[in-house]
Amino acid sequence: LTRVFKLQQQAIRIIAFTDYYAPTSRLFSQLGILKLEDVIKLNAFLFMHDWYNKKLPGAFNNFFHHKSSTKQTRISDQGHLFLPTRRTEKYGTNNIKYKGAVVFNELLNLNVDLFKPKVSFKKEVKSLLIAGYA
């Protein structure tokens, strides 16, 4: 992905008619284009939005579980998903069950309304990601 991201940076410099070594974060922000890693993250956000609103096939119903505890927990953890154990760093971290829970918890921390229609949800998340470039 690093190679593809570097090509994306070259393309954004060409589109904006800037110097070959110009920083690209500001250009992505000005043009309203997501970086490659954020395109991947946005699709994961959309997947979890569909899961939360029960718009995925039934096979995904038991993929994720909300944290439950009999002990008093912090308010900030309410509604978060349980992170499953992972056996390996490479495959365990990239597993959809683990990655989806991490992404969902990140959505809760961003205070994004998960009940919004998909189109407006996507616009809001995209604008939040682009705002992080400035």
Side-chain angles (χ1 to χ4, degrees):
L1 289 178
T2 303
R3 182 169 162 78
V4 176
F5 178 63
K6 287 183 181 193
L7 289 172
Q8 185 187 30
Q9 287 178 315
Q10 287 177 354
I12 202 88
R13 287 183 186 112
I14 291 168
I15 291 169
F17 300 106
T18 60
D19 186 43
Y20 181 78
Y21 295 106
T24 56
S25 288
R26 186 178 50 82
L27 298 174
F28 279 107
S29 178
Q30 287 175 346
L31 296 173
I33 298 174
L34 288 175
K35 295 179 182 179
L36 178 63
E37 65 184 33
D38 288 334
V39 170
I40 295 167
K41 187 182 274 191
L42 177 63
N43 283 305
F45 284 148
L46 292 172
F47 177 82
M48 292 310 294
H49 177 267
D50 286 345
W51 172 81
Y52 187 75
N53 291 300
K54 301 192 184 326
K55 295 191 176 182
L56 291 178
F60 294 104
N61 289 346
N62 295 323
F63 262 45
F64 310 103
H65 304 286
H66 288 280
K67 286 184 179 180
S68 61
S69 175
T70 56
K71 299 178 183 177
Q72 182 87 15
T73 58
R74 294 181 295 166
I75 294 292
S76 63
D77 279 351
Q78 283 185 337
H80 283 67
L81 294 180
F82 173 74
L83 296 177
T85 56
R86 48 195 179 162
R87 293 184 184 169
T88 63
E89 190 63 30
K90 182 177 181 180
Y91 297 110
T93 305
N94 294 324
N95 185 336
I96 187 64
K97 290 182 181 183
Y98 182 83
K99 199 67 141 184
V102 169
V103 164
F104 185 82
N105 293 341
E106 188 177 337
L107 274 175
L108 292 179
N109 292 337
L110 290 173
N111 293 325
V112 178
D113 184 13
L114 291 165
F115 289 112
K116 282 186 173 183
K118 193 171 185 176
V119 173
S120 58
F121 172 81
K122 182 178 179 179
K123 284 180 184 178
E124 182 180 355
V125 171
K126 184 178 177 183
S127 67
L128 285 172
L129 291 172
I130 290 175
Y133 300 160

